[in-house]
Amino acid sequence: MKKVTKTHAIPKNSIISKGFNDYHYCDSFSVVTQTNDSLDTITTTIFQTPKWADLLMGVRNRIFSLFGLNKGGYKDRRNIADHYPIGSRAVYFTVIDRNDNEIITAENDKHLDFRISVFENGEEHHKTIHLTTLVKYHNALGRFYFFVIKAFHKRIVIGLLKRLIKK
């Protein structure tokens, strides 16, 4: 059975850290899948979170908005596309960079900034998909915030990649 593999290393040739040095947290999960889907379609599939994750995002947004933080991360079906150009939103997050093998999304706030990469390598019908997250804290609130959501983050990422196996 195929499984999701975790590493702390950024995939070779990834552009996620371009202009985003000195991050405080990094994780990267990967899965081998048999698909001929485009990178944009894979990104859409990954960001189609289950309802329980959407509920957690809503609770998170309500609680942390009391601290003046952005209410980023709302899933919006209008943000689903066949191609995500730089500056567009890929379901949840803003696309800030991309190439033929990778889409980088990001959000910046006063407590922390983060980057998420969907990176593919391999041949058609046999690809390794990497989902990498980098987080940079700006203050104690950023550290506390990510401490609270880190356990949920890992569980959600693993679940999203497992869905690529079942597809």
Side-chain angles (χ1 to χ4, degrees):
M1 182 172 124
K2 298 174 190 169
K3 65 177 188 164
V4 175
T5 305
K6 181 181 184 222
T7 178
H8 290 285
I10 296 172
K12 185 179 180 183
N13 300 322
S14 173
I15 58 173
I16 189 171
S17 62
K18 182 173 89 176
F20 195 72
N21 300 321
D22 303 324
Y23 49 86
H24 299 101
Y25 176 84
C26 172
D27 68 26
S28 188
F29 295 84
S30 64
V31 66
V32 176
T33 185
Q34 295 178 341
T35 183
N36 62 353
D37 287 346
S38 71
L39 177 60
D40 297 88
T41 299
I42 291 167
T43 299
T44 297
T45 301
I46 287 173
F47 287 157
Q48 290 299 311
T49 52
K51 290 199 183 297
W52 66 266
D54 295 340
L55 289 170
L56 281 176
M57 293 282 272
V59 169
R60 178 208 68 173
N61 288 340
R62 283 191 290 280
I63 291 171
F64 285 97
S65 69
L66 299 173
F67 297 96
L69 304 180
N70 288 340
K71 291 185 177 185
Y74 280 110
K75 182 164 48 175
D76 186 343
R77 298 219 181 269
R78 294 172 294 179
N79 296 330
I80 296 173
D82 293 330
H83 178 76
Y84 296 110
I86 293 172
S88 69
R89 289 187 69 80
V91 186
Y92 276 106
F93 309 114
T94 302
V95 176
I96 62 160
D97 205 352
R98 68 170 295 147
N99 61 29
D100 291 341
N101 298 69
E102 187 170 22
I103 295 176
I104 307 296
T105 62
E107 294 297 327
N108 299 324
D109 206 343
K110 64 183 178 183
H111 67 306
L112 61 75
D113 299 341
F114 69 85
R115 306 289 183 264
I116 299 173
S117 162
V118 179
F119 180 86
E120 69 176 4
N121 59 10
E123 303 295 320
E124 189 172 334
H125 300 294
H126 186 78
K127 297 179 183 179
T128 301
I129 308 300
H130 303 269
L131 190 57
T132 303
T133 304
L134 301 181
V135 180
K136 185 185 297 188
Y137 312 122
H138 294 303
N139 52 40
L141 180 58
R143 286 185 187 282
F144 173 73
Y145 170 85
F146 196 69
F147 174 79
V148 170
I149 68 162
K150 189 180 344 182
F152 299 108
H153 161 79
K154 289 179 180 181
R155 184 173 178 157
I156 290 169
V157 167
I158 290 168
L160 297 177
L161 286 174
K162 282 182 178 179
R163 290 176 44 221
L164 289 176
I165 298 169
K166 295 176 184 176
K167 192 173 176 207

